[in-house]
Amino acid sequence: MIAPDCDVAIIGAGPAGAALAIHLRKAGRSVVLVEKESFPRHHIGESLTGECVGLLDELGMSDHLRTAAYPVKRGVTVTGANSRARFWVPVEACEGGSRRPATTWQVRRDEFDAALLDKAVAMGAELVRGTCRDVTRDDGRVTGIVVRGEAGDRHAIASHYVADCSGQKTFLAGKGLTGPKSRTGYENQTAVFAQVRGLVRDPGERDGSTHIFYGERHHWAWSIPLSKDVTSLGIVLPKGALRRDGRDLQQIFRDALGKVNGELIERSRDVELCGEVETISNYSYSIENFTGPGFLCVGDSHRFFDPIFSFGVLIALQEARLAAQVIDRSLADPAHPDQFDGFVEASMRAQRVVEYVIRTFWDYPFAFLRLAHFTHQSDIAEIFSGRLYTPEVMKIEAVRLMREMLHRTGQIAA
């Protein structure tokens, strides 16, 4: 046997890959991170849930969060097409079965992602600049990756495990190691987004919090404060509603602002762009069989749903934590490798809850409004905070009610 170059080769150094590397280094495992982009890099997805606070503390990121002057997020305001369809979901902390108001942050992803990667490298993860081109295999087992370096050279990195943290690039799915990508019903959405000044934000202590505006089905927008005067503003619409028709992206963005919600129109009358307008489409998918002999996929590399409630970073951090635990356990017990069942079960359970919340919100908005604003406020706050990765999440009353309604109406299988 040839000794591997490392215990784990990680494809992608975003939050999932960097967090996985930190956890593995804390466990004493050798790690190679492969990333083609230079950091800091622009990235969308700035809002952290309440559960992210403890996860980032475990990663040693507390000092960065407290000194980076990120806006403080106390919750989420959701505003519908009329004044009655409005509710507030606070950030909550759960300790010993009791809940209390808490805070988290809105992060500038270029700074946040770079700081997380710097932490992984400082912990001893080796960073390789290049593009992952293929995997190596031996008798059906993944044994490493093939990387093309910045100079165009190709070389293999042998490892006990390969972790796909490539996000929406879904590298291992593209190589046929996982199940195929499946539609989730949100794949024909298009988002157009930019950073702006002059957007009217929520008053007082809620100035730093997320505001979601929605109109008809699958028409919504986000407002996420990034600093005292800069806000991340994005509009998501069905693909057909954003035809270019000879217009540039700036004009498409300004036209899209008038297609979602009357209150958003009023708040955005004086906005000025302070960055490039960007767009992304066809971003919703689900991949089955995302673990196998010698490999596993983490976070967006196996599933990405409608991002309306900002679960992206939370899912990346939680799955990185779980993946590190199962990889460490498998490395410690060579007679029983690939102990991935618990990781798969927890990941799929959490993703199902996210699906219940989003499908209920879009397909049964009045039922969701009743849960969030009247009958089960604390349950919805617990879900929004991101406590999704324990078996107890399925026992939350609001989760049970949403699941039963979606099953009864044929939206999900039993």
Side-chain angles (χ1 to χ4, degrees), residues 257-328:
L257 284 172
K259 294 180 180 291
V260 175
N261 181 282
E263 183 168 331
L264 177 60
I265 293 173
E266 292 299 318
R267 289 182 180 229
S268 61
R269 290 194 184 280
D270 298 321
V271 299
E272 298 178 0
L273 293 169
C274 57
E276 296 294 322
V277 177
E278 299 185 58
T279 185
I280 186 172
S281 61
N282 294 330
Y283 54 68
S284 182
Y285 53 84
S286 176
I287 296 170
E288 295 186 356
N289 302 321
F290 54 90
T291 67
F295 76 88
L296 75 171
C297 302
V298 182
D300 291 353
S301 63
H302 69 86
R303 185 178 174 96
F304 187 77
F305 215 68
D306 187 325
I308 185 169
F309 294 131
S310 302
F311 289 118
V313 174
L314 177 278
I315 289 171
L317 298 179
Q318 278 282 23
E319 290 196 8
R321 183 174 182 264
L322 293 171
Q325 292 171 354
V326 300
I327 290 172
D328 183 54

Side-chain angles (χ1 to χ4, degrees), residues 320-392:
R321 183 174 182 264
L322 293 171
Q325 292 171 354
V326 300
I327 290 172
D328 183 54
R329 188 161 58 244
S330 294
L331 288 169
D333 186 7
H336 300 89
D338 310 329
Q339 301 177 41
F340 297 150
D341 288 352
F343 169 73
V344 171
E345 181 181 352
S347 299
M348 293 184 68
R349 181 173 56 238
Q351 296 275 11
R352 279 197 297 270
V353 173
V354 171
E355 181 177 359
Y356 299 160
V357 170
I358 293 171
R359 289 198 186 281
T360 302
F361 178 80
W362 283 123
D363 296 325
Y364 306 101
F366 292 109
F368 191 88
L369 176 64
R370 180 176 174 81
L371 290 172
H373 193 53
F374 296 104
T375 63
H376 292 75
Q377 292 170 293
S378 192
D379 283 0
I380 298 299
E382 183 169 1
I383 295 166
F384 271 46
S385 287
R387 284 177 284 280
L388 308 175
Y389 282 83
T390 65
E392 287 70 31

Side-chain angles (χ1 to χ4, degrees), residues 134-145 172 175-177 293:
D134 208 345
V135 297
T136 56
R137 311 181 208 196
D138 183 10
D139 195 25
R141 182 178 182 82
V142 173
T143 57
I145 56 177
L172 291 184
K175 293 299 176 182
L177 267 75

